[in-house]
Amino acid sequence: MADRIPELQDITFMSNSDTHSPWPHRLGREFNRIKVKELTFLEIEKAIEHKNNRGFTLNVGLNPKEGKYHITACSKCYLKFKINDAIRLNFRCPECNGIIKKGVMDRVNELSKWKEPKNPWHRPKYIHIIPLAEVISLATGISTITSKRIKDKWNLLIDKFGTEINILVDTKIDKIKEEDYKIGMIIEKFRMDKINYISGGGGLYGRPTLRSESDRYWGYGQSSLSDFLM
Ligand SMILES: [Zn+2]
């Protein structure tokens, strides 16, 4: 998204997870891979400045569509709005009179000079992952992430493949499919950036979905997915 803003071309994007959640499955869901000669702060600094053949080689993180304020939406009833409608309505929701909060995507649109992102030479690939516990939840239909059945499956996969990052990013997809076909399918999909999302907005988180549902906007009914591809 942000590579449509010329001012950011020289900036290294860092995808770091925050740690304000007590749940371990929230840790490490965003991370960077960097190329350095040794693990020192000086080397990391060079990587951030993409100097002397150091640099970032991979960004991994959640899809921005999962963000609480991705789409312009009502902060009370979470109804989504096209930005022109929100402006016309003076950012007041006609359904509940709540305040409409401008989404990150519309703010990026305002700041953007380019319609399509232009990735500079130093920009690595960005994989939008789904944390393993959530992958298991999607595959099994068990919605409580902290449930024993999800934990058991998580442990089983970690015993087999070593680490969560191995499974989500590095292990050959056929090996995962051999172990669990449905989980392998979901991981393959997000590695190819083909997961469908219901976007967040107005303070409500977005979520990945295996169904063909899509965002609904005030005054529009069902919109086609292609309207939202960036
Ligand atoms: Zn509302």
Side-chain angles (χ1 to χ4, degrees):
M1 271 192 339
D3 268 339
R4 291 171 52 213
I5 303 172
E7 289 92 324
L8 302 181
Q9 286 287 285
D10 196 41
I11 306 283
T12 295
F13 294 160
M14 286 185 264
S15 39
N16 301 322
S17 66
D18 44 18
T19 51
H20 56 71
S21 164
W23 299 108
H25 72 267
R26 301 253 183 253
L27 288 171
R29 62 183 179 169
E30 311 231 341
F31 62 92
N32 315 275
R33 270 197 182 141
I34 56 177
K35 186 178 161 195
V36 286
K37 280 241 160 81
E38 52 188 12
L39 263 183
T40 61
F41 284 113
L42 199 66
E43 283 284 313
I44 294 170
E45 188 182 350
K46 282 182 193 164
I48 293 170
E49 291 174 343
H50 40 88
K51 278 182 180 163
N52 302 91
N53 203 27
R54 276 74 159 177
F56 280 50
T57 58
L58 183 68
N59 287 120
V60 178
L62 300 188
N63 194 302
K65 289 175 184 169
E66 294 203 55
K68 268 174 146 176
Y69 298 101
H70 183 66
I71 296 269
T72 296
C74 173
S75 57
K76 210 166 149 192
C77 73
Y78 308 121
L79 194 57
K80 289 166 184 151
F81 293 86
K82 300 279 185 186
I83 189 65
N84 288 339
D85 289 332
I87 293 167
R88 199 159 50 80
L89 294 162
N90 215 8
F91 289 87
R92 273 283 165 192
C93 175
E95 298 292 324
C96 77
N97 207 33
I99 292 168
I100 299 171
K101 188 108 176 144
K102 188 190 287 176
V104 174
M105 199 177 78
D106 284 319
R107 183 65 183 137
V108 170
N109 284 337
E110 284 175 3
L111 298 173
S112 292
K113 293 270 189 302
W114 302 318
K115 256 193 146 49
E116 297 296 325
K118 292 186 184 180
N119 298 330
W121 65 270
H122 59 87
R123 188 82 67 228
K125 187 178 170 183
Y126 203 130
I127 303 178
H128 294 126
I129 57 154
I130 303 174
L132 185 56
E134 289 173 37
V135 172
I136 299 168
S137 167
L138 279 172
T140 57
I142 303 167
S143 55
T144 312
I145 292 287
T146 50
S147 75
K148 186 174 179 309
R149 276 177 66 197
I150 288 187
K151 269 188 199 159
D152 288 348
K153 185 75 185 178
W154 191 91
N155 283 323
L156 204 83
L157 292 167
I158 296 299
D159 283 347
K160 173 96 187 171
F161 296 109
T163 67
E164 176 155 342
I165 289 172
N166 275 347
I167 300 168
L168 299 183
V169 177
D170 297 320
T171 302
K172 281 211 162 52
I173 215 70
D174 292 344
K175 291 239 183 295
I176 304 171
K177 281 185 180 169
E178 268 171 36
E179 185 66 25
D180 188 305
Y181 189 76
K182 201 159 182 194
I183 286 175
M185 284 288 287
I186 294 170
I187 292 172
E188 182 177 38
K189 263 190 158 185
F190 72 60
R191 284 187 191 173
M192 294 164 72
D193 215 10
K194 287 192 170 160
I195 291 279
N196 188 25
Y197 289 86
I198 292 296
S199 303
L204 186 71
Y205 286 113
R207 58 180 168 84
T209 174
L210 298 183
R211 289 183 288 180
S212 61
E213 54 190 331
S214 57
D215 290 318
R216 285 162 183 266
Y217 287 80
W218 177 78
Y220 281 81
Q222 195 83 13
S223 302
S224 84
L225 184 66
S226 60
D227 289 348
F228 314 112
L229 295 177
M230 298 200 59

